[in-house]
Amino acid sequence: MESSVLEIIKARIHEKHQGDEKQLDVIFSPEKRILVEAPAGYGKTHTMVSRIAYLIASNEIPSPKRLLALTFSVNAAYKIKKDVSKNIPVLLDGIGKEIKIKDKTYVSNYHGFCRKILKKYGQKLHPSLLNLDTLQSIDDSDTSNLMQFFKSLSLEDAELLSEFNISVKDIKGKKLSEKIERYNEIVISELLPKGAIPFNAIITLTIKLFKDFPNILSFYQNYYTTLLIDEFQDTNILSYWLLHYLIIDKTNVIFLGDSLQRIYGFIGAIPNLLKHAKDKFKLKVIALDKNYRFESNSNMLQLDKIIRQNALTPFANPDSLKSEVEFAIYDEQSTEALEVVKKTLVTLQNDQESNLAILVKQRGPNVDLIIETFKHNKIPFFYGLFTDEDANYINFNRKCLYEFIELIKDRKRITKKLGKAHTKKIREIFSDDNTALIQAMFELLDVFWLRLFIDYSFLTDEDRINLVKDTFEHNGLKQFMEFLDSKIVISTVHAAKGLEWDYVILPDMEQDLFPNWFGLCGKCKNSLDCNILVNKDNENKFLEELSVFYVAVTRARKKVSFSASELQLTKYNPKKKNISCFMKLPGMELSPEM
């Protein structure tokens, strides 16, 4: 590559990044292995795209298709795919490095990547893997269900499948390494012949393929010269094992993540993974340090810094950070509910082009009263109070997956007609269920099929099939809340991760609710006044709950406000509660109105 051409690329990148030194450090770093600490709103995606373009232009990546980009969530993977497809050709335009369709970077989530490998080579393990797209994905966590659907399965084998699933969530590495071989054997001998495959097996069978056929592993190790891993903090143990196979001495590595956005520990995200990977893969750490989301909003900018500082020095404020935070305390929950509704209406009236989310840690009688108040006043909103472990939410996604697989068995293309047929079938299945959750899922399913042909028109038919399957397999319909027409969304924080609204209200900022009893409050020794003392015994729990709080706050583009009640609704009688310890973080100056 001529130096003049590289200078053109560098000039374009410098202009794009407006002198952000940390972003430019990432983009032009000569290091083969870097870990980018990238908080929400710090320009991670722009930086990542420019880094890829520069590596292609400088021949560090011989061809765009020699870069493998992986991420935890389906939604994030396809957003990266869209950004890469749109922006890299612009940066490389006119320098002899134009990207052809066949040369495009492969971007997927972990399961999507493994599915691609199994479709190509899986017949070496079992012939049914040739038709992987038509295999039904099953839940292997419930022993009794497994034995009900697979009559030849022994109790011992059903229990092993279930225990393996639980061990993934509980991050039991030793137990998994002892059981993975037998787990794969059971899947191959008992489940694949019956047209079924568990979710975890898509990765474990790929690992088995790599172990049993070193030539296949060697091909992928040498073909992908560069690995880019986004949302690295959410990686689970099976995905981490997969990375260990793919990364060899000569592999270029780019990990992007933020330890303070790790909120999926309850489904297996590995704690302290960024630190572990830094040591394991000898990564140079570069931390992005400029918040673009809040650069013109000093209060939100300072609040972001305060929460992040508390992850380093809990309840200390060495930099004397200050943020004026709107926080209202009410006598009891019915008053708070009414004021939340009024606050919502006033906010949207004052900024008529905006939208707003009311985010809570979990469902319960307190948020139920807020919902009833919205309904009583005939104010429309979207019901997003589902979690990754909600049985009805999971079941809806699984039904969607099953019916989609049935529909594509005799087809190779996804059309709008197929989408309509799928939606019609799902509505028939749940026609007798009028619960708020199912009605909300119907809305999300409609939006999902609509956006598939708008935002992902650039995908091949194979990629679209994978996107649909990945979405349903990962229970990912919640991620399409960002495309709803509704101005008001009431959601759990976990369902809202990765999404943004102009305004966010966090009610119920009280003891036992945020943080909740199971997360931190139940074991706190300072429950009388909620002035928590963080020590070695509770530090991990504190950081887990602070991460959820941080994700909630950073869903707001313009402003976040908080409220609480002195009397909290419980299963039996209202009880007097303290305000949340998170409202006492040093530097937060609480104000009733702003």
Side-chain angles (χ1 to χ4, degrees):
M1 171 69 61
E2 295 180 5
S3 60
S4 61
V5 174
L6 263 185
E7 291 305 314
I8 292 172
I9 292 296
K10 285 184 177 181
R12 289 176 182 175
I13 289 173
H14 273 281
E15 182 180 2
K16 179 182 177 184
H17 292 270
Q18 298 290 306
D20 187 316
E21 293 300 326
K22 289 296 184 180
Q23 290 186 2
L24 294 171
D25 283 350
V26 172
I27 296 162
F28 299 125
S29 174
E31 301 289 336
K32 287 175 62 69
R33 300 189 171 189
I34 58 175
L35 169 61
V36 182
E37 293 188 357
Y42 282 58
K44 173 189 69 175
T45 302
H46 291 306
T47 305
M48 174 181 61
V49 168
S50 293
R51 171 73 174 173
I52 294 171
Y54 181 70
L55 291 176
I56 293 170
S58 60
N59 288 324
E60 286 295 318
I61 301 176
S63 166
K65 61 184 179 181
R66 304 287 293 276
L67 166 69
L68 173 62
L70 298 175
T71 187
F72 164 75
S73 74
V74 180
N75 196 43
Y78 285 91
K79 282 183 176 179
I80 294 173
K81 188 186 286 281
K82 186 176 180 180
D83 285 326
V84 167
S85 300
K86 178 181 176 182
N87 295 315
I88 288 185
V90 175
L91 284 170
L92 298 180
D93 183 49
I95 66 162
K97 279 282 183 179
E98 289 79 7
I99 298 177
K100 300 174 183 177
I101 294 295
K102 66 181 180 65
D103 288 336
K104 285 189 176 180
T105 295
Y106 184 76
V107 184
S108 185
N109 60 320
Y110 295 107
H111 281 80
F113 172 66
C114 289
R115 189 180 288 114
K116 177 186 178 182
I117 294 173
L118 290 178
K119 284 196 289 188
K120 193 167 186 177
Y121 300 107
Q123 75 272 17
K124 294 179 179 292
L125 301 179
H126 193 277
S128 66
L129 290 172
L130 276 170
N131 301 307
L132 180 62
D133 283 340
T134 61
L135 295 180
Q136 284 293 351
S137 179
I138 63 158
D139 177 12
D140 58 1
S141 64
D142 190 308
T143 300
S144 58
N145 281 346
L146 285 170
M147 296 190 67
Q148 179 182 349
F149 288 108
F150 302 97
K151 303 299 184 183
S152 63
L153 196 64
S154 69
L155 175 61
E156 181 182 7
D157 286 347
E159 287 179 340
L160 188 144
L161 293 175
S162 178
E163 288 170 5
F164 192 89
N165 184 300
I166 294 168
S167 295
V168 172
K169 293 180 180 178
D170 292 344
I171 321 171
K172 302 294 185 183
K174 184 179 179 181
K175 182 175 288 189
L176 288 170
S177 62
E178 292 172 351
K179 302 290 185 181
I180 189 170
E181 187 173 340
R182 180 57 187 154
Y183 176 85
N184 284 330
E185 288 175 359
I186 297 169
V187 170
I188 291 170
S189 63
E190 297 292 338
L191 305 187
L192 292 182
K194 297 177 178 63
I197 186 168
F199 186 58
N200 288 323
I202 293 172
I203 293 182
T204 63
L205 290 177
T206 304
I207 290 173
K208 178 175 175 58
L209 196 67
F210 285 164
K211 289 176 65 177
D212 292 356
F213 300 93
N215 58 320
I216 295 175
L217 173 61
S218 178
F219 168 78
Y220 284 102
Q221 287 174 334
N222 288 285
Y223 184 79
Y224 291 116
T225 61
T226 303
L227 261 64
L228 185 150
I229 313 297
D230 191 24
E231 294 188 320
F232 185 59
Q233 77 280 347
D234 291 325
T235 302
N236 77 3
I237 192 166
L238 296 183
S239 301
Y240 196 42
W241 285 354
L242 180 73
L243 295 180
H244 278 75
Y245 281 94
L246 293 171
I247 296 172
I248 56 177
D249 287 343
K250 63 181 180 179
T251 308
N252 289 303
V253 175
I254 310 165
F255 288 163
L256 302 104
D258 178 15
S259 57
L260 200 50
Q261 292 188 71
R262 176 189 167 270
I263 66 172
Y264 290 114
F266 65 98
I267 55 174
I270 302 171
N272 302 314
L273 183 59
L274 273 64
K275 183 179 183 303
H276 184 277
K278 173 183 174 292
D279 298 333
K280 173 67 179 177
F281 297 113
K282 298 179 174 58
L283 303 167
K284 178 183 179 181
V285 179
I286 305 175
L288 301 183
D289 61 2
K290 188 172 182 181
N291 188 324
Y292 289 91
R293 185 178 300 171
F294 302 141
E295 65 178 330
S296 60
N297 186 332
S298 59
N299 260 327
M300 288 296 292
L301 186 63
Q302 290 296 95
L303 181 57
D304 177 273
K305 290 180 179 178
I306 285 168
I307 300 173
R308 298 195 69 82
Q309 182 62 53
N310 269 268
L312 300 174
T313 56
F315 290 89
N317 190 7
D319 297 327
S320 299
L321 300 166
K322 291 183 180 180
S323 176
E324 190 175 359
V325 174
E326 185 174 309
F327 178 56
I329 306 175
Y330 302 100
D331 292 338
E332 41 84 35
Q333 184 64 29
S334 61
T335 304
E336 182 183 4
L338 182 59
E339 292 301 323
V340 166
V341 172
K342 289 163 65 175
K343 173 73 175 176
T344 299
L345 294 178
V346 169
T347 300
L348 295 177
Q349 285 169 2
N350 291 338
D351 190 352
Q352 295 185 11
E353 298 301 317
S354 66
N355 56 17
L356 181 148
I358 298 165
L359 302 182
V360 296
K361 188 71 160 50
Q362 67 275 306
R363 286 179 306 204
N366 295 276
V367 70
D368 286 345
L369 188 52
I370 293 174
I371 288 172
E372 288 305 314
T373 307
F374 270 100
K375 289 180 177 179
H376 178 76
N377 289 279
K378 296 182 172 55
I379 301 168
F381 64 91
F382 177 78
Y383 180 95
L385 293 174
F386 29 77
T387 69
D388 295 88
E389 293 189 310
D390 189 311
N392 292 325
Y393 175 70
I394 292 171
N395 181 53
F396 189 93
N397 279 273
R398 289 196 181 282
K399 290 292 185 185
C400 286
L401 177 61
Y402 179 89
E403 295 302 332
F404 174 72
I405 291 173
E406 291 299 304
L407 281 169
I408 63 167
K409 279 184 175 178
D410 300 318
R411 319 180 197 197
K412 296 295 183 183
R413 296 186 66 242
I414 293 185
T415 62
K416 292 181 180 179
K417 184 177 179 180
L418 183 145
K420 290 179 180 178
H422 181 264
T423 301
K424 180 181 178 183
K425 182 64 177 179
I426 296 300
R427 286 184 176 273
E428 289 173 357
I429 291 172
F430 291 95
S431 60
D432 294 331
D433 192 332
N434 293 316
T435 60
L437 187 148
I438 295 301
Q439 298 307 306
M441 297 311 297
F442 287 155
E443 285 189 59
L444 288 177
L445 185 60
D446 288 340
V447 167
F448 169 71
W449 280 111
L450 176 66
R451 303 307 299 192
L452 184 70
F453 295 101
I454 295 175
D455 295 304
Y456 302 110
S457 58
F458 63 93
L459 294 179
T460 64
D461 283 309
E462 181 182 5
D463 281 342
R464 284 191 192 177
I465 289 173
N466 287 338
L467 169 57
V468 176
K469 290 194 68 177
D470 286 342
T471 298
F472 296 146
E473 277 187 339
H474 281 79
N475 305 321
L477 278 173
K478 64 185 180 181
Q479 289 295 304
F480 287 82
M481 281 196 293
E482 68 178 308
F483 299 114
L484 293 167
D485 291 331
S486 179
K487 289 273 197 175
I488 304 168
V489 170
I490 303 177
S491 171
T492 61
V493 179
H494 282 87
K497 187 173 187 283
L499 309 180
E500 296 175 22
W501 291 268
D502 295 307
Y503 299 93
V504 167
I505 297 175
L506 294 179
D508 300 333
M509 292 304 301
E510 303 146 21
Q511 172 187 6
D512 296 336
L513 288 182
F514 206 149
N516 65 13
W517 171 267
F518 298 103
L520 184 62
C521 295
K523 295 183 179 179
C524 181
K525 297 178 180 178
N526 294 79
S527 58
L528 291 178
D529 57 10
C530 287
N531 285 309
I532 185 174
L533 297 175
V534 179
N535 52 43
K536 290 183 179 180
D537 294 332
N538 63 10
E539 184 177 15
N540 287 339
K541 283 291 185 181
F542 169 75
L543 289 174
E544 286 179 6
E545 292 294 299
L546 187 69
S547 295
V548 180
F549 183 62
Y550 178 72
V551 167
V553 168
T554 54
R555 297 314 89 204
R557 284 187 285 258
K558 296 181 179 180
K559 182 180 176 182
V560 62
S561 55
F562 307 86
S563 65
S565 303
E566 292 182 355
L567 280 179
Q568 184 184 109
L569 298 179
T570 67
K571 186 176 180 179
Y572 302 105
N573 298 306
K575 289 186 178 179
K576 191 172 181 61
K577 297 285 184 175
N578 296 313
I579 67 169
S580 167
C581 56
F582 289 156
M583 301 313 300
K584 301 172 183 178
L585 297 178
M588 288 176 59
E589 299 182 342
L590 306 182
S591 172
E593 289 187 15
M594 287 171 53

